[in-house]
Amino acid sequence: MKFQSIIVEDLQVSADFLRRFCEKSGVVEVHAHFLNAEDALNYLKDNVVDLIFLDVEMPGASGFELLDQLMYTPQVILTTSKVEYAYDAFQYNVTDYLKKPFTYQRFLESIQKVGKKSEQQNGNSEQDHMFIKSDGKLIRLHNDDILFIESMGDYVKFITSAKKYITHNTIKNLETKVNPQVFMKVHRSYIVNFTKINDIQENTLFINGNMIPISKTHKSGVMQKINIL
Amino acid sequence: MHNEVPKIPFTFSSKLDIAFLTELYDNDFEQAETVFETSLEQIQSELVNAGDKFSQGDVPGLKKIIHKIKPLFGYVGLNKIITDFAAFEDVCAGANDISQTENGFKNIVKITEEALETINNELKRLKQYNTQCL
């Protein structure tokens, strides 16, 4: 299987190297190269990729702003010449961080990380439960019991039909760990179990009487996911 | 039938980071020529743009150009210059007005002009090598 990717990079020389390394690796296919985040976002509205090679500082929106607006979470390899972005890279849960210029060997190490993460994610897609740490205990929550997950800053609240659990985590981190066949991010503060959605009105969805906002950027993703007859 | 002349590998100038360039280009000296040529042209044109931003007193604009040019020096084996550019980027980030970047910018122009000469000389050597090997 080849990883389907795009390159978002304003420096042509860097993009050319990336494209060349991808071809040489034989495991990464580059579908497009964009010189700015806005064009890449437009492409990503209609196309799904496994991997984004993403520069941080570009004309217009930054690479991190692009990640904030994505409707789903492909793997990301940040390509930048500034080490100062390493902390942000960690916060955004990116797969790897390549400091420009980099060699083919270093590129391959990144691709190996993509492969490992992909295997882990595929494993997650078959999981029907998760363990969360709450009140000093590890609690098993079945996917089917969870209605939605709400951000509370550095904490998140798991809402089930019977109880609420608060745990130290972030929505950004959870969105890569929950089963994508059941859960989806609909807003930067909410992940919902979309099998539990009762109805949708404009930019709000309802689950068991709870009103949950759908952000503009996630709206089309939500509409694609639900079964409209 | 003809006898092929065995290729003698090109050796990068000792003014450049030979180990890094050897690994980066992996004996593909035609690619090296292309990248050196592109980098030379882009650094030249961005240096003009940087001069314009400096004249206009546009510190954020100047910082953006410095950030954009910076990795190009890496692709031609002038990694030390990346450090100089990163330091000047920090100067720009902390500057309240363009006068605070003046000394740093003069130094950047000087460094870049010297680098352009080095890149140009290496480009000529690469062109000569690749022509002989055709």
Side-chain angles (χ1 to χ4, degrees), chain A residues 135-152:
Chain A
D135 293 333
K137 290 182 289 186
L138 282 173
I139 298 164
R140 180 199 287 262
L141 292 181
H142 285 276
N143 291 344
D144 198 46
D145 292 334
I146 299 167
L147 303 177
F148 62 93
I149 309 166
E150 183 181 357
S151 169
M152 300 168 66

Side-chain angles (χ1 to χ4, degrees), chain A:
Chain A
M1 186 198 111
K2 279 191 177 186
F3 295 107
Q4 308 304 314
S5 75
I6 60 164
I7 298 170
V8 189
E9 166 66 72
D10 67 332
L11 192 61
Q12 188 63 47
V13 174
S14 298
D16 290 345
F17 265 100
L18 267 173
R19 197 180 274 274
R20 193 180 168 87
F21 287 169
C22 288
E23 278 171 22
K24 194 172 169 182
S25 75
V27 294
V28 185
E29 198 161 322
V30 179
H31 284 269
H33 165 218
F34 301 97
L35 295 165
N36 59 64
E38 289 82 2
D39 289 347
L41 266 173
N42 279 335
Y43 177 86
L44 291 168
K45 275 179 192 161
D46 302 318
N47 298 277
V48 175
V49 296
D50 306 311
L51 173 63
I52 305 177
F53 294 99
L54 183 63
D55 189 9
V56 178
E57 284 191 34
M58 293 174 285
S62 74
F64 291 126
E65 286 169 313
L66 180 149
L67 293 181
D68 284 335
Q69 292 178 54
L70 274 186
M71 289 184 294
Y72 64 101
T73 314
Q75 293 202 51
V76 174
I77 295 177
L78 282 186
T79 60
T80 174
S81 53
K82 254 189 180 175
V83 284
E84 289 89 334
Y85 290 125
Y87 177 74
D88 293 316
F90 175 73
Q91 291 290 92
Y92 277 85
N93 199 21
V94 304
T95 305
D96 204 8
Y97 177 95
L98 283 171
K99 186 171 178 291
K100 291 183 284 194
F102 47 85
T103 62
Y104 180 62
Q105 277 310 313
R106 180 65 189 85
F107 168 85
L108 277 186
E109 287 170 22
S110 281
I111 298 304
Q112 281 168 359
K113 288 182 187 174
V114 171
K116 277 184 190 164
K117 196 167 178 177
S118 175
E119 281 171 18
Q120 287 167 0
Q121 285 175 344
N122 288 339
N124 283 348
S125 68
E126 287 160 18
Q127 282 181 8
D128 64 354
H129 68 276
M130 61 184 85
F131 277 95
I132 62 161
K133 203 172 180 181
S134 185
D135 293 333
K137 290 182 289 186
L138 282 173
I139 298 164
R140 180 199 287 262
L141 292 181
H142 285 276
N143 291 344
D144 198 46
D145 292 334
I146 299 167
L147 303 177
F148 62 93
I149 309 166
E150 183 181 357
S151 169
M152 300 168 66
D154 291 337
Y155 289 81
V156 293
K157 189 158 55 176
F158 284 76
I159 287 95
T160 69
S161 38
K163 209 176 162 186
K164 293 171 184 171
Y165 300 89
I166 293 173
T167 184
H168 186 66
N169 215 320
T170 62
I171 291 289
K172 196 165 272 299
N173 180 46
L174 282 174
E175 70 174 305
T176 60
K177 295 188 173 164
V178 294
N179 185 339
Q181 289 172 6
V182 182
F183 295 98
M184 79 176 297
K185 187 176 170 186
V186 297
H187 184 277
R188 67 180 173 188
S189 299
Y190 291 94
I191 290 173
V192 303
N193 180 336
F194 59 82
T195 66
K196 304 291 180 185
I197 297 173
N198 300 118
D199 58 282
I200 298 175
Q201 292 170 30
E202 303 279 325
N203 294 324
T204 306
L205 62 82
F206 294 84
I207 298 178
N208 276 19
N210 296 286
M211 279 174 64
I212 295 163
I214 308 170
S215 71
K216 209 171 157 188
T217 48
H218 292 90
K219 181 79 184 276
S220 64
V222 173
M223 300 316 278
Q224 278 172 26
K225 203 99 177 178
I226 60 173
N227 186 20
I228 303 175
L229 298 177

